[in-house]
């Protein structure tokens, strides 16, 4: 290759001629302008196959520099509110570690915010647009609550206030990062959250619990039924949350102290259709709250049943030449087990037993009821339940000790009789 310096329009240009005869031109140090962000001169190298093309490329580079705001610093262009929302959520993911929170907020975006404002230009959305939208959400939520359904239909949830707060966060993000002038969501008045009739805590009292235990014993002897029975029995005696139980490994069984060690929980990581990511179960290396770190005393036979099922699954893996698992309740592929399928089975079997179709939390509530009726104090129950505050325990389970309520009347009558004698 041959290189030579030529002068073209008072500029030094490098002319390169390949052995094949092909020619190219390079203009080094081409001046584009002053960077508005740094105050420094910006230069670049322009290449072309002809001198005329070199001139056109130089002009195009200068125009692109001006179009980018006269800076070489990277600037993200947003054309719609959906673009701004997605950039905000990408940033939000770096601030929040809870998958449950991320899933909930993603639901706000996909169900409410993007369908309503996604196509708008961010600076064209005004407060009255948002206020009318919020009022409509409140009306929908109120009508949904009036039906008495346990779960709201899509788009009619009661937490519309949280959705508006997230909308406001997105506008603030736009002000900080993309030069938006104001946040129209700040002046919006959020209507009161509709109140539904407070349901009593779901629990199996003595008669129903007896019926359930007999039903469990009647199930055919299969591996699936053994797993189901061990899960139910373990939840009932420990008050663990279902995903705390499914996260247990063999090292969490403490045979010396007859305890289950709780230090983690399973979560559902939602799918992302845009990125082609499927939803999956993941293990969070901490429990739901700091107070969730605990060791829960349980009967020895429960520990033995858990270990026996762990051994049974590893024997299954060994026969199929698969890697052994540390999990107590792995799938047949050795992965974390999703509680959804087992929850469906539970509801079906509760109905078969003539009981209300509650979820796995029924065993947690029932455990609390048994403890309180047996005379356990609130602090002891708080620790077993893994609650951060004893107020949470008392607010949730104050209604679960009907025997104790009756005892209160008897104590009063005995005292009055003593004083009247």
């Amino acid at each position: 290759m041959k290189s030579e310096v030529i002068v073209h329009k008072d500029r030094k240009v490098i002319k390169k001629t390949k052995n094949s005869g092909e020619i190219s031109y390079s203009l080094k140090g081409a001046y584009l302008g002053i960077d508005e962000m740094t105050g420094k001169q910006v230069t670049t190298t322009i290449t072309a196959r002809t001198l005329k093309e070199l001139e056109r490329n130089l002009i195009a580079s200068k125009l692109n520099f001006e179009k980018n705001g006269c800076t070489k610093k990277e600037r993200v262009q947003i054309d719609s509110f959906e673009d701004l929302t997605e950039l905000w959520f990408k940033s939000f993911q770096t601030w929040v570690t809870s998958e449950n929170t991320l899933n909930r907020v993603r639901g706000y975006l996909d169900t409410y915010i993007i369908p309503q404002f996604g196509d708008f230009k961010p600076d064209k959305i005004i407060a009255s647009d948002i206020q009318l939208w919020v009022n409509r959400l409140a009306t929908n939520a109120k009508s949904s609550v009036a039906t008495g359904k346990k779960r709201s239909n899509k788009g009619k949830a009661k937490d519309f206030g949280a959705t508006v707060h997230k909308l406001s966060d997105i506008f603030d993000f736009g002000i900080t990062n993309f030069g938006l002038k104001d946040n129209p969501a700040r002046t919006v008045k959020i209507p009161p959250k509709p109140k539904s009739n407070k349901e009593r805590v779901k629990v199996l009292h003595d008669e129903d619990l007896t019926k359930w235990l007999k039903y469990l014993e009647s199930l055919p002897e299969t591996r699936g039924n053994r797993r189901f029975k061990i899960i139910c029995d373990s939840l009932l005696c420990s008050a663990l949350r279902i995903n705390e139980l499914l996260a247990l490994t063999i090292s969490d069984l403490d045979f010396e102290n007859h305890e289950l060690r709780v230090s983690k929980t399973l979560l559902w990581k939602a799918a992302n259709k845009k990125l082609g990511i499927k939803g999956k179960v993941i293990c969070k290396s901490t429990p739901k709250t700091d107070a969730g770190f605990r060791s829960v005393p349980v009967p020895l036979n429960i520990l033995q049943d858990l270990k026996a099922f762990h051994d049974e699954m590893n024997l299954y893996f060994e026969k199929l030449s698969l890697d052994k698992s540390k999990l107590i309740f792995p799938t047949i592929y050795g992965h974390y087990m999703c509680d959804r399928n087992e929850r469906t089975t539970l509801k079906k079997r509760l109905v078969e037993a003539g009981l209300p179709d509650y979820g796995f939390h029924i065993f947690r509530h029932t455990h609390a009821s048994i403890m309180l009726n047996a005379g356990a104090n609130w602090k002891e129950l708080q620790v077993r339940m893994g609650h951060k505050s004893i107020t949470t325990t008392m607010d949730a389970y104050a209604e679960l000790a009907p025997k104790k309520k009756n005892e209160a009347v008897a104590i009063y009558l005995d005292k009055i009789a003593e004083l009247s004698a």
Side-chain angles (χ1 to χ4, degrees):
M1 180 184 289
K2 178 183 177 183
S3 294
E4 60 179 313
V5 178
I6 64 175
V7 177
H8 175 70
K9 293 189 176 181
D10 298 326
R11 299 188 186 96
K12 290 183 179 180
V13 176
I14 299 175
K15 178 182 178 181
K16 295 182 180 180
T17 305
K18 294 183 179 180
N19 295 335
S20 62
E22 184 180 343
I23 298 174
S24 64
Y25 299 90
S26 296
L27 174 61
K28 293 186 176 181
Y31 178 73
L32 298 181
I34 301 296
D35 194 307
E36 288 190 354
M37 297 184 71
T38 64
K40 298 179 180 179
Q41 291 185 2
V42 176
T43 60
T44 189
T45 298
I46 308 294
T47 59
R49 289 172 296 181
T50 66
L51 290 172
K52 285 187 176 181
E53 184 181 353
L54 190 72
E55 287 296 324
R56 290 196 298 270
N57 289 351
L58 176 59
I59 294 171
S61 295
K62 288 182 178 181
L63 291 174
N64 287 334
F65 177 69
E66 292 174 1
K67 185 178 179 181
N68 193 48
C70 292
T71 180
K72 293 290 285 185
K73 297 292 183 181
E74 182 181 0
R75 284 188 172 177
V76 180
Q77 183 70 29
I78 56 170
D79 298 316
S80 67
F81 194 74
E82 182 175 4
D83 292 341
L84 178 61
T85 299
E86 293 297 349
L87 289 169
W88 172 84
F89 187 71
K90 186 176 181 180
S91 181
F92 184 70
Q93 288 176 301
T94 67
W95 312 331
V96 178
T97 57
S98 169
E99 286 295 331
N100 286 336
T101 300
L102 292 173
N103 291 342
R104 183 174 66 254
V105 172
R106 188 70 242 184
Y108 296 157
L109 305 184
D110 294 338
T111 305
Y112 299 100
I113 295 176
I114 292 177
Q116 179 64 28
F117 300 110
D119 294 334
F120 286 48
K121 289 188 176 298
D123 58 351
K124 299 300 181 182
I125 301 172
I126 59 177
S128 61
D129 293 333
I130 301 172
Q131 187 67 67
L132 289 171
W133 171 66
V134 174
N135 293 346
R136 187 167 64 252
L137 292 182
T139 301
N140 290 342
K142 187 176 181 180
S143 64
S144 179
V145 168
T147 64
K149 291 182 179 179
K150 294 180 182 179
R151 269 189 105 126
S152 302
N153 292 333
K154 188 174 182 180
K156 296 185 177 182
K158 293 187 294 183
D159 55 352
F160 54 84
T163 304
V164 177
H165 289 309
K166 287 294 169 280
L167 180 67
S168 182
D169 289 345
I170 295 169
F171 277 111
D172 283 342
F173 179 78
I175 291 172
T176 301
N177 296 278
F178 298 101
L180 290 186
K181 300 301 181 184
D182 65 347
N183 178 351
R186 285 181 187 166
T187 59
V188 169
K189 302 297 182 184
I190 301 175
K193 184 177 180 179
K195 294 182 180 180
S196 55
N197 294 328
K198 186 176 180 181
E199 296 183 9
R200 295 178 65 86
V201 176
K202 301 165 180 66
V203 61
L204 297 176
H205 290 303
D206 291 356
E207 183 179 343
D208 287 341
L209 184 55
T210 300
K211 186 186 296 187
W212 174 249
L213 294 176
K214 288 182 178 179
Y215 175 82
L216 282 182
E217 291 300 324
S218 71
L219 293 175
E221 187 64 21
T222 65
R223 186 176 68 211
N225 285 338
R226 282 195 298 278
R227 179 184 64 200
F228 179 78
K229 183 176 183 299
I230 294 170
I231 287 175
C232 294
D233 288 346
S234 299
L235 292 174
L236 182 61
C237 78
S238 66
L240 264 63
R241 301 173 179 91
I242 178 61
N243 281 315
E244 291 175 336
L245 181 71
L246 297 182
L248 291 179
T249 61
I250 190 64
S251 61
D252 295 319
L253 309 186
D254 184 349
F255 281 89
E256 183 177 348
N257 298 303
H258 294 185
E259 292 177 338
L260 292 176
R261 288 192 288 263
V262 182
S263 62
K264 50 193 174 297
T265 189
L266 299 186
L267 296 171
W268 177 255
K269 187 174 180 64
N272 189 320
K273 293 182 180 179
K274 293 181 180 179
L275 298 178
I277 299 174
K278 295 182 178 180
K280 64 178 180 179
V281 179
I282 62 171
C283 184
K284 182 184 176 186
S285 59
T286 57
K288 185 177 180 181
T289 66
D290 290 341
F293 286 101
R294 62 198 189 279
S295 293
V296 182
V298 295
L300 177 60
N301 69 292
I302 293 296
L303 293 175
Q304 292 171 335
D305 288 346
L306 290 168
K307 184 179 184 304
F309 190 76
H310 172 263
D311 293 342
E312 179 181 349
M313 289 305 297
N314 275 331
L315 183 61
Y316 167 83
F317 294 141
E318 186 178 345
K319 288 181 179 179
L320 295 180
S321 299
L322 299 174
D323 293 335
K324 291 186 176 181
S325 174
K326 295 180 180 179
L327 295 170
I328 302 295
F329 297 108
T331 66
I332 58 173
Y333 303 106
H335 302 150
Y336 292 114
M337 181 179 168
C338 180
D339 69 304
R340 295 182 180 183
N341 293 336
E342 212 71 357
R343 189 189 304 138
T344 301
T345 301
L346 171 66
K347 292 190 174 186
K348 176 183 175 183
R349 288 179 169 174
L350 282 168
V351 172
E352 287 177 356
L355 299 169
D357 58 338
Y358 302 146
F360 279 112
H361 244 53
I362 192 174
F363 300 121
R364 186 169 163 85
H365 298 328
T366 301
H367 178 90
S369 176
I370 292 171
M371 294 286 289
L372 290 172
N373 280 311
N377 64 58
W378 286 105
K379 187 63 181 177
E380 180 183 357
L381 184 61
Q382 175 201 350
V383 173
R384 288 185 71 84
M385 306 304 284
H387 288 155
K388 185 175 182 179
S389 168
I390 196 169
T391 303
T392 303
T393 312
M394 297 179 75
D395 287 347
Y397 301 119
E399 297 295 319
L400 293 188
K403 291 181 180 178
K404 290 300 176 183
K405 288 195 291 187
N406 293 333
E407 284 180 15
V409 176
I411 291 171
Y412 168 78
L413 292 174
D414 288 345
K415 186 63 177 179
I416 294 298
E418 176 190 332
L419 296 175
S420 302

